[in-house]
Amino acid sequence: MKRILSILIMVMIIITSPISYGEDIGVNNLNIERNLKSYILADFETGEILEEYNIDEVVEIASISKLMSYLVIMDEITKKNLSLNDILTIDEDITKIKGSSFNLKTGERFTVKELLEASIVVSGNDATYALAKYAGGSEDNFVKKMNQRAKKLGLQNAIFYNSTGLPIRGKDMQNKMSTREIFKLTQYIIRNYPEVLETAKIKSIEVINRNYFQRNTNPLLNEIKEIDGLKTGFTNKAGYCYVSTFNIRGENIETKDLRLIAVVMGAKSLEKRNVLSKILVEHGISNYSNRIFLNEAIPLQTIEFPKADIKEVEVFAEKGFSKLIKNDENIGVNIDIDEAIGLPIKKNTKIGKATVEKEGEVIFESDILVKEDVNKAKWYVLIGRFFNRIFNAIGGFFTGERV
């Protein structure tokens, strides 16, 4: 699977991308390993990994670190240790933070909510640092909370030295974790603080009286309608990184909504990261769905009972079942009704089995129910049906229709 996706990605870059990368990516260099440190495409709901490469290597994560900072802040809000409406006053120390910036000035005042938005949307290092100092008393105390939270989540490889992901000046030290762990962290945040998606899809931040305007750093937010998050990052050592998430809308009764998370780490250029991310996301949208195989609210079929008061009876699966599948997978539903079932039939009587099978193996089964009482028809009802059949047959004879 990894090799097929690698070839797909590189071929599509060659065919479709107008971007010049400064090096030859030709037919002899189709391995995605040459362009990324790692990547993952996985299901938000179940954690099932759909595509992957090198996801357990511990790598520098740059501003992806701000996802853990966001989590710690939101935890503190949940504990009522602070509020989104709390107002912070910016001190000189905060204004000295380098890198991507909300351009904070000494003496300015912002709410926690505004600084959280600046941290996620424009990756403001100064905004993140301000939040860390406020929530922890100092950034060092806040970073302790980040590392404790990582351990609590089971992210054993994660190590944080600061709240922003910036390199530690004068030392060969940067925040790190594995790509598998980045996925788990993202999954946890979306599940427990889904409001992060409302923040992450803000297209730009503008503060007119500060003469500040900056677009969301998310490169696919305006390109792919399903994208609604989440975070970018870059340092020289980490390379260009991107955590994206997108929701594939279900279609009527055939599929359910499907949220996937795609992470690419360590691209050698901004252009490569953006193109590779887009192809990985579109691969997910085009090739996977959350297929509904059994729906307990929709009848499986209609069974005829000639001697019942209800001649045609709808039957239903007792339990619904949907599954994330690759669209070309061969999965079918078999229905087995007990033909010896007699009248009367009480409501919710089990009259058979529905099985979902993949390559001959049963992956799910449900009883089949009649959801209403079905009794024997009265004698006069049966006689009426008998004469109806006769009249229909005679009518068909004269009109030339077969009954």
Side-chain angles (χ1 to χ4, degrees), residues 291-319:
R291 183 73 55 186
I292 299 171
F293 292 95
L294 296 174
N295 187 332
E296 62 269 39
I298 296 176
L300 286 172
Q301 64 181 51
T302 300
I303 299 176
E304 187 171 333
F305 289 94
K307 296 184 179 181
D309 56 350
I310 306 171
K311 188 176 178 183
E312 295 182 341
V313 179
E314 293 178 336
V315 296
F316 299 79
E318 182 180 28
K319 296 179 289 185

Side-chain angles (χ1 to χ4, degrees), residues 69-282:
S69 295
Y70 178 90
L71 175 58
V72 173
I73 293 293
M74 294 304 293
D75 283 348
E76 293 298 307
I77 291 171
T78 300
K79 296 173 187 174
K80 300 190 183 306
N81 293 333
L82 58 130
S83 161
L84 286 171
N85 296 319
D86 287 355
I87 298 176
L88 285 67
T89 300
I90 305 305
D91 61 31
E92 186 178 358
D93 180 45
I94 293 170
T95 67
K96 295 177 181 179
I97 299 299
K98 304 298 182 182
S100 53
S101 177
F102 191 39
N103 292 351
L104 293 173
K105 302 293 189 296
T106 304
E108 288 186 315
R109 289 160 60 84
F110 289 93
T111 64
V112 168
K113 181 177 185 291
E114 289 170 327
L115 293 174
L116 271 179
E117 289 175 353
S119 176
I120 296 297
V121 176
V122 301
S123 200
N125 290 323
D126 49 359
T128 307
Y129 180 68
L131 288 167
K133 287 183 65 176
Y134 181 71
S138 70
E139 189 186 35
D140 286 344
N141 286 340
F142 186 81
V143 171
K144 289 178 182 177
K145 292 177 182 286
M146 293 173 72
N147 284 306
Q148 290 167 358
R149 198 66 174 93
K151 292 296 183 285
K152 189 174 180 180
L153 287 175
L155 311 179
Q156 298 302 319
N157 298 304
I159 179 70
F160 295 95
Y161 300 106
N162 58 32
S163 61
T164 61
L166 285 166
I168 304 300
R169 183 177 297 178
K171 298 181 181 179
D172 187 22
M173 297 165 60
Q174 294 189 31
N175 298 345
K176 294 181 178 181
M177 62 200 309
S178 70
T179 301
R180 186 193 297 272
E181 290 171 328
I182 293 171
F183 165 74
K184 289 181 178 179
L185 173 61
T186 304
Q187 183 187 33
Y188 182 88
I189 291 172
I190 295 174
R191 178 168 286 135
N192 291 275
Y193 298 112
E195 56 266 42
V196 71
L197 298 176
E198 292 303 311
T199 298
K201 66 185 181 184
I202 294 172
K203 293 186 176 182
S204 63
I205 292 180
E206 182 175 19
V207 186
I208 295 174
N209 63 358
R210 301 178 70 236
N211 195 30
Y212 181 88
F213 177 82
Q214 180 68 47
R215 290 185 174 84
N216 195 314
T217 61
N218 187 331
L220 300 183
L221 187 61
N222 296 317
E223 283 200 50
I224 300 176
K225 63 181 176 59
E226 290 84 358
I227 289 279
D228 52 10
L230 191 58
K231 191 71 196 72
T232 58
F234 168 76
T235 65
N236 288 332
K237 199 164 186 179
Y240 292 86
C241 311
Y242 179 30
V243 177
S244 62
T245 182
F246 49 102
N247 189 48
I248 305 169
R249 293 289 184 187
E251 296 181 357
N252 299 321
I253 62 174
E254 295 183 359
T255 58
K256 288 184 175 181
D257 284 4
L258 172 64
R259 176 169 294 281
L260 300 181
I261 296 169
V263 183
V264 298
M265 299 298 293
K268 297 176 183 179
S269 73
L270 181 67
E271 292 83 3
K272 283 181 185 176
R273 183 201 68 183
N274 293 352
V275 171
L276 293 169
S277 298
K278 183 176 181 180
I279 292 170
L280 188 59
V281 168
E282 290 183 336

